[in-house]
Amino acid sequence: MSLNQILIITLISLLLVFLPAFGLSKMFDKAGVPSWKAWIPFYNTWVMLDVAQRPKHWFFWQFIPVAGWFVTMGIFIEWVKCFAKFSFWEHALTCLVPFMYFPYVGMDKNTRFIGPAGVKHYQKSTVREWVDAGIFAVVAATLIRTFIFEAYTIPTGSMEKTLLVNDFLFVSKLSYGPRIPNTPLAIPFMHHTIPGTSSRSYTEMIKLPYSRWFASPVKRNDVVVFNFPEGDTVINTPAYQSLVPFYQEARRIGNGDMNIGRQYILNDPDTYPLVIRPVDKRENYIKRCVAIAGDTLEVRGGQVYINSQPGFNPPHSQLPYELETNGQPLDQASMLENFNIDIENPEEFGSMGNNKFMVLLTHEAAEKMKSSGFAKTLTAQLTSKDQVDPRLWGKLTFPNDTLHKWTVDYFGPVWIPAKGATLTITPENYSIYERAIRVYEGNSFEQQNGKFILNGKETNQYTFKMNYYWMMGDNRHYSQDSRFWGFVPEDHVVGEAWIIWMSMNNGIRWNRLFRSIK
């Protein structure tokens, strides 16, 4: 946590107990307590607990970051009960505007101090008990979801076989530090859309800048949940959303020209209704962080290289192979048991005739096929630039230009931006870093007649404000990842995939329950 963040937390905590001081001083008078005690931050809450005869250990819980603010509100509620304020709305005012409500209570001639003895005579109705319990549950769950962990479901096969479709995960917010929501005013437990509608579940009346408490950088090879960087603009229909991202569709329509495709979409809002989403309301993706800030990444023959050294190969990562068998019959049960292949899944297995098949295999399964004699031939299906129609350059992979003739299997090298690092901008790397400089870091940036204009001034140097990461799926040929849309900024990082707590596929996959994610 930075010094600035510590100061912000401390200031909010102090304001919570100091702003109501004027009203508290009047209430202290009514309770027979010297009014000057109301003006001393935190000591005033100790006095309230003492007078209300509530547990003194509550005082110390106030100093827990963020959660302590709610403890302070709880102390305020116990305090106003001593003045016969028991209704839901009186407690709501106590929590939301104590600096306005406490002066009213303190100066109201009809309000008297009844003390803890009077509070004991009050009994909540059954309805009120349920309302209070419900509000507490929502607040507690929201705090846990924001600052500790969040549930997440695997929707696609991009991480197979490491993570399977319908694996239910807990995502740790503590691994990289909890990120404060950019849009705090939202319906609880809804991401960006009210279910069954196309309406937003949040409002941008209040927008907060990026802030992360107890920040810790993403580590290389972590499995990370993050907000989709190109999800800022979305075609808001079921057929598109993150399945067909806006920028991908615009490039397709424009035959590689983003501007033509964008204008076409803007001219047809009925077919392409657009929504703009803040960072924290963009779709959640899950991938493996293969390169961190400052790394240089390259993919050669499907193998990731980091800083010229072979990168980590996830044990369950998959590549497509052309398989020719020795002719023996194929059995679903034995193929699953021996090679972890579902031959009934067309994404994993397809027949080409004459004992030849297209299969998705982990490295372990491929080696087992070779050593067992099951495979007569087994050839990895990789795509080099020489195999690509030249007319497709600029339409296949990031950075979507005709200069970088990269494929999913032969990609880079590309440097991953690091906070505080200065980049020399050239015509060759402009398309790689332009979006990060302009969109993610909020600058005016363009290339004019071979010159680079940054915030109205000509320059060829830029110093990055954030760390960036390179994310790839373990199912390398069926993953929409950084090879198609580039870097993931640190402010898009949600948390680390921690544990599989449930997994379903026509029933419970018992062998996956409570499995840690590696």
Side-chain angles (χ1 to χ4, degrees), residues 16-221:
L16 278 174
V17 295
F18 182 75
L19 286 179
F22 174 74
L24 280 174
S25 67
K26 303 299 181 183
M27 297 173 76
F28 276 23
D29 279 338
K30 284 188 175 183
V33 176
S35 61
W36 62 266
K37 294 184 178 182
W39 294 93
I40 303 177
F42 292 110
Y43 177 60
N44 53 14
T45 60
W46 179 272
V47 173
M48 283 185 264
L49 288 170
D50 185 50
V51 172
Q53 296 181 9
R54 304 305 294 157
K56 295 293 182 60
H57 61 80
W58 290 11
F59 172 83
F60 301 100
W61 295 119
Q62 293 179 99
F63 299 100
I64 299 174
V66 183
W69 302 343
F70 295 90
V71 176
T72 299
M73 294 177 191
I75 294 173
F76 287 171
I77 289 174
E78 295 303 315
W79 172 247
V80 297
K81 287 179 182 179
C82 293
F83 294 82
K85 304 300 181 184
F86 299 110
S87 73
F88 171 80
W89 292 110
E90 288 168 332
H91 289 180
L93 291 171
T94 296
C95 292
L96 299 176
V97 286
F99 52 90
M100 297 173 60
Y101 185 57
F102 284 179
Y104 166 77
V105 174
M107 293 186 289
D108 180 20
K109 295 180 179 179
N110 296 321
T111 298
R112 61 185 183 86
F113 177 73
I114 63 173
V119 173
K120 292 179 181 178
H121 295 295
Y122 171 74
Q123 290 291 328
K124 290 184 182 180
S125 67
T126 302
V127 172
R128 180 63 188 283
E129 290 279 5
W130 278 102
V131 169
D132 285 356
I135 292 173
F136 174 79
V138 169
V139 171
T142 301
L143 283 173
I144 291 171
R145 186 171 182 262
T146 302
F147 295 101
I148 302 176
F149 67 82
E150 181 177 359
Y152 181 80
T153 307
I154 299 298
T156 70
S158 69
M159 287 294 290
E160 302 248 355
K161 304 281 189 172
T162 304
L163 296 171
L164 307 182
V165 174
N166 289 331
D167 276 349
F168 296 83
L169 318 178
F170 283 140
V171 176
S172 169
K173 302 295 185 71
L174 298 177
S175 295
Y176 312 125
R179 183 184 60 173
I180 306 307
N182 303 112
T183 50
L185 299 182
I187 300 174
F189 316 125
M190 295 183 189
H191 187 41
H192 52 61
T193 304
I194 298 174
T197 75
S198 59
S199 301
R200 298 189 307 180
S201 62
Y202 61 94
T203 175
E204 295 187 73
M205 290 178 60
I206 296 178
K207 294 180 67 175
L208 302 178
Y210 168 61
S211 179
R212 189 182 298 275
W213 295 345
F214 311 108
S216 178
V218 175
K219 298 181 289 297
R220 198 181 290 120
N221 304 320

Side-chain angles (χ1 to χ4, degrees), residues 249-486:
E249 181 68 358
R251 283 189 287 266
R252 185 193 67 79
I253 292 172
N255 197 28
D257 191 317
M258 183 70 196
N259 292 325
I260 293 176
R262 179 189 286 112
Q263 194 57 53
Y264 182 91
I265 290 173
L266 291 175
N267 290 339
D268 189 3
D270 293 332
T271 304
Y272 303 103
L274 298 182
V275 295
I276 308 300
R277 289 176 180 158
V279 171
D280 63 328
K281 297 304 180 185
R282 296 170 192 173
E283 291 288 352
N284 287 329
Y285 273 29
I286 184 167
K287 309 288 178 187
R288 189 178 299 275
C289 176
V290 298
I292 61 175
D295 283 345
T296 296
L297 171 137
E298 186 175 5
V299 183
R300 301 198 299 265
Q303 169 67 52
V304 172
Y305 287 81
I306 305 298
N307 303 324
S308 301
Q309 299 298 316
F312 170 73
N313 288 314
H316 301 293
S317 64
Q318 298 183 121
L319 285 176
Y321 290 83
E322 182 179 304
L323 164 69
E324 182 181 3
T325 70
N326 56 18
Q328 70 183 73
L330 303 183
D331 174 72
Q332 166 77 341
S334 63
M335 292 294 284
L336 273 173
E337 180 181 353
N338 295 322
F339 307 115
N340 198 18
I341 300 175
D342 180 359
I343 64 175
E344 296 179 359
N345 183 349
E347 291 186 358
E348 291 189 22
F349 188 89
S351 176
M352 301 169 62
N354 298 322
N355 297 324
K356 291 185 178 181
F357 306 90
M358 290 300 299
V359 293
L360 271 179
L361 296 176
T362 64
H363 177 74
E364 179 184 6
E367 292 301 312
K368 191 173 181 180
M369 276 191 177
K370 295 175 184 177
S371 62
S372 67
F374 178 82
K376 184 175 180 181
T377 61
L378 189 64
T379 308
Q381 299 300 292
L382 305 177
T383 305
S384 70
K385 64 180 181 181
D386 297 328
Q387 297 172 282
V388 176
D389 186 333
R391 291 172 297 179
L392 295 177
W393 293 125
K395 305 174 187 178
L396 295 178
T397 60
F398 176 83
N400 302 109
D401 63 13
T402 56
L403 185 63
H404 299 89
K405 298 179 179 180
W406 296 343
T407 73
V408 293
D409 295 311
Y410 292 86
F411 191 99
V414 59
W415 174 74
I416 315 302
K419 182 178 181 180
T422 299
L423 171 74
T424 298
I425 307 164
T426 66
E428 290 73 28
N429 66 24
Y430 171 80
S431 60
I432 297 175
Y433 301 103
E434 178 270 338
R435 180 173 171 85
I437 295 171
R438 181 175 55 84
V439 177
Y440 305 146
E441 306 220 342
N443 298 285
S444 169
F445 183 52
E446 59 183 338
Q447 184 176 200
Q448 296 179 356
N449 302 319
K451 298 178 180 180
F452 306 105
I453 310 301
L454 177 67
N455 298 324
K457 297 180 180 179
E458 181 183 343
T459 184
N460 70 340
Q461 301 284 309
Y462 183 76
T463 301
F464 286 93
K465 304 171 188 175
M466 290 190 291
N467 286 321
Y468 290 78
Y469 303 98
W470 193 265
M471 307 289 184
M472 290 174 60
D474 286 358
N475 192 358
R476 294 284 165 83
H477 276 237
Y478 294 88
S479 173
Q480 185 189 96
D481 56 33
S482 287
R483 292 169 295 177
F484 298 94
W485 36 255

